[in-house]
Amino acid sequence: MMNNATSPKPTLGLIMTGGGARAAYQVGVIRALHEILPKDVRNPFPIICGTSAGAINAAVLATDAGNFHRGARRLMTVWKNFHVEQVYRADAWGALGNSARWLMTTLSGGSLDGPVSLLDNSPLADLLGRHVDFPAIGRNINAGHLQAFAVTCSGYTSGQSVTFYEGNTRLENWERARRVGVAMPIGLPHLMASSALPFIFPPVLINREYFGDGSMRQIAPVSPALHLGADRLLVIGVGRQATQSAVRLPSNGYPSLAQIAGHALDSIFLDSLEVDLERLQRINRTLSIIPAETLAKNGYPLRAVEFRVMTPSVPLSQIAAQYAHDLPRVIRGLLQTVGAMKRTGSNLVSYLLFEKAYCRALIQLGFRDTMAQRDDLISFLGYGPQ
């Protein structure tokens, strides 16, 4: 990266990953940025990319790209007052009826018609339809407030990770192994598909294919932002990064279904990001030891990309265990049958606990973690000493 006075200002990309209710942590990070950035900042992130629940947060910021501080306040208003009923049906008929249908379909070998999932997330579609002004994304791009906005989904037929993006006319589609970028106006179906947790929420039809949660098959979570032109990245994850070798403790018994499901969700939402960031770090180190003239002479396509990562300093499953009792009674009963209400199953609960006490705890954690890096982030974002 060049930092002298004649160098062009880096194009910042914001990447918000998935994780169900864990995405409340991202709102805490955005709240802190709202406080530490100058009030006259329209939008520090010309490129915004989101996956799963992170796509929903990213969409709010993209619709308010002309006023970052207003977008941050809108996110706070929704998340700090969340209830499960705003995301999925928690009444007896809605929750148990849907679960019974899911079980019948499983036992019948998938012979029943129509969308099948453990939970009915139609309330989320209603919420997003009321609060997200999708045409505003295009207006912000035309006004120059936003360069590109992208949402990643997973195709159940193609097996591809598909990044749908809306951006300026200079951008081009891309195709790599198991991942493609496709330009089209972003709407409600893209957000519902990207946040459709496997088995838990139903897939969504976009054009000719059904899509599910974007974190599945997303082997390179940072690549969409780079394809769209970002050369500096802020990544907001929802799981702790591995900083040391795992400690293997003796098992207390056979793992419950909830424990296995929580492990599977962690694999979907956390592992790819860690691997991709490690890869990016290795590329940066390699490029730093190759002379600039050698890179120019050989037309080497890679470039160094500076990045920062914000991830929880405390395991979110521990926080979820403290607030699991806030779930509606019907949902508690449903999760009890798979062992999710035990401490070993709190990982699964951490993805489904859309209740305000838990969300506020995650927002506060995200705020604290970000403020602890205040000076570095201000400089990184280009609003302080370089």
Side-chain angles (χ1 to χ4, degrees):
M1 285 288 176
M2 297 179 292
N3 290 314
N4 57 58
T6 61
S7 301
K9 187 175 181 180
T11 300
L12 281 161
L14 175 64
I15 298 174
M16 306 182 85
T17 65
R22 289 175 170 228
Y25 176 84
Q26 297 173 342
V27 179
V29 175
I30 296 300
R31 176 194 164 199
L33 294 179
H34 159 68
E35 292 203 8
I36 67 179
L37 292 178
K39 297 305 177 186
D40 61 351
V41 172
R42 281 186 174 273
N43 177 26
F45 306 105
I47 296 169
I48 301 176
C49 300
T51 303
S52 192
I56 295 172
N57 289 338
V60 173
L61 296 180
T63 60
D64 272 325
N67 190 331
F68 174 76
H69 297 281
R70 182 175 62 199
R73 290 193 296 270
R74 286 210 300 144
L75 281 176
M76 279 290 298
T77 299
V78 173
W79 279 94
K80 72 179 182 180
N81 296 303
F82 239 144
H83 289 290
V84 158
E85 291 87 351
Q86 294 173 282
V87 180
Y88 53 87
R89 290 186 62 179
D91 59 287
W93 178 253
L96 299 181
N98 227 61
S99 302
R101 180 179 174 82
W102 181 82
L103 180 60
M104 288 174 60
T105 303
T106 302
L107 295 176
S108 67
S111 61
L112 296 183
D113 294 329
V116 177
S117 60
L118 188 62
L119 297 172
D120 175 359
N121 63 344
S122 56
L124 177 61
D126 295 337
L127 180 71
L128 295 177
R130 292 194 309 271
H131 289 281
V132 181
D133 179 13
F134 292 100
I137 298 171
R139 294 196 298 268
N140 286 327
I141 291 170
N142 293 335
H145 301 318
L146 186 66
Q147 182 172 315
F149 170 60
V151 174
T152 299
C153 307
S154 295
Y156 279 112
T157 303
S158 66
Q160 288 183 316
S161 175
V162 181
T163 296
F164 299 100
Y165 71 90
E166 193 169 351
N168 60 51
T169 55
R170 297 190 304 274
L171 298 173
E172 297 180 355
N173 292 352
W174 64 88
E175 186 169 356
R176 300 290 185 272
R178 292 289 181 183
R179 52 192 173 92
V180 297
V182 179
M184 69 165 51
I186 303 298
L188 179 60
H190 300 91
L191 296 191
M192 294 302 295
S194 186
S195 57
L197 293 167
F199 301 109
I200 297 174
F201 297 140
V204 176
L205 182 66
I206 300 176
N207 293 341
R208 300 179 302 276
E209 185 174 10
Y210 278 97
F211 288 88
D213 198 289
S215 295
M216 299 185 293
R217 311 302 293 270
Q218 192 180 31
I219 58 176
V222 305
S223 73
L226 301 180
H227 282 292
L228 295 171
D231 46 30
R232 184 176 289 189
L233 303 174
L234 176 64
V235 183
I236 311 178
V238 294
R240 296 183 75 192
Q241 285 190 288
T243 56
Q244 57 187 16
S245 300
V247 178
R248 290 179 175 82
L249 300 175
S251 299
N252 294 322
Y254 195 81
S256 65
L257 286 175
Q259 193 172 354
I260 294 171
H263 179 76
L265 290 176
D266 276 356
S267 298
I268 291 171
F269 289 112
L270 308 181
D271 295 353
S272 294
L273 178 62
E274 287 189 2
V275 171
D276 205 23
L277 290 174
E278 187 179 89
R279 182 187 302 119
L280 183 57
Q281 207 164 34
R282 287 201 306 269
I283 292 172
N284 285 345
R285 287 173 184 158
T286 301
L287 291 175
S288 69
I289 62 176
I290 300 176
E293 55 271 18
T294 302
L295 292 173
K297 180 180 178 181
N298 293 279
Y300 210 52
L302 298 178
R303 67 186 189 275
V305 177
E306 190 177 356
F307 65 92
R308 295 291 186 275
V309 186
M310 295 302 308
T311 55
S313 57
V314 176
L316 299 190
S317 58
Q318 290 184 8
I319 301 176
Q322 301 172 33
Y323 296 100
H325 61 275
D326 288 348
L327 283 164
R329 180 178 300 178
V330 172
I331 300 300
R332 289 203 310 270
L334 183 62
L335 293 177
Q336 183 77 46
T337 62
V338 295
M341 298 307 293
K342 299 178 181 177
R343 184 165 292 273
T344 56
S346 60
N347 220 24
L348 176 59
V349 173
S350 73
Y351 289 94
L352 299 174
L353 189 48
F354 292 93
E355 288 293 332
K356 66 179 183 180
Y358 172 67
C359 291
R360 289 183 178 190
L362 267 55
I363 290 171
Q364 187 58 35
L365 178 62
F367 180 83
R368 287 201 313 267
D369 288 350
T370 306
M371 296 303 284
Q373 301 184 40
R374 174 187 178 123
D375 293 342
D376 177 64
L377 285 172
I378 290 176
S379 177
F380 173 76
L381 295 174
Y383 299 97
Q386 298 294 302

